């Protein structure tokens, strides 16, 4: 995520692709894998490849459930990793909106 936030999109794609592959050792592999995937799709988009990015985002499999109270997102027993994943999903879905359509792929 730091590579993406710093504008180093090619390096971010490489690091996030690797992160998706080794998440089995993490506390919640699905959260780690999907978070990396959302940021990889965003990085691909930032490199001028919106259709490729939308295809990657479409493989996430589901929308992340937003917190019950967005102003206090951890009050319903959510873990900080859930919050990070939800924010990554929200950012990706905002950026990857299909032109002329209010919905994302």
């Amino acid at each position: 995520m730091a590579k993406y936030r710093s504008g180093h999109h090619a390096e971010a794609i490489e690091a996030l692709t690797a992160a998706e592959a080794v998440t089995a050792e993490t506390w919640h592999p699905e959260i780690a894998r999907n978070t990396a995937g959302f940021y990889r799709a965003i990085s691909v988009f930032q490199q001028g490849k919106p259709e490729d990015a939308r295809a990657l985002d479409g493989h996430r499999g589901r929308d992340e459930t937003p917190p019950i109270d967005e102003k206090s997102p951890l009050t319903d027993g959510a873990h900080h990793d859930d919050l990070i994943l939800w924010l990554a999903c929200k950012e990706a879905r905002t950026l990857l909106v299909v032109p002329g359509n209010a919905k994302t792929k």
Side-chain angles (χ1 to χ4, degrees), residues 7-30:
H8 302 284
H9 302 297
E11 292 174 23
I13 292 166
E14 185 178 325
L16 292 163
T17 300
E20 284 182 276
V22 297
T23 57
E25 301 165 11
T26 64
W27 181 60
H28 279 97
E30 184 179 335

Side-chain angles (χ1 to χ4, degrees), residues 29-99:
E30 184 179 335
I31 290 174
R33 186 173 37 258
N34 285 336
T35 301
F38 284 127
Y39 280 105
R40 185 165 63 108
I42 294 168
S43 295
V44 169
F45 182 90
Q46 295 294 352
Q47 286 195 309
K49 301 174 186 174
E51 293 307 316
D52 292 346
R54 289 184 187 105
L56 285 172
D57 181 59
H59 291 114
R60 294 298 90 195
R62 63 184 169 84
D63 285 334
E64 300 309 320
T65 305
I68 292 171
D69 180 0
E70 289 189 24
K71 294 184 181 187
S72 299
L74 298 178
T75 57
D76 192 38
H79 188 270
H80 66 271
D81 288 338
D82 297 311
L83 180 59
I84 292 167
L85 175 57
W86 173 68
L87 290 171
C89 176
K90 185 175 177 177
E91 184 174 359
R93 297 293 154 76
T94 299
L95 184 65
L96 302 177
V97 171
V98 176

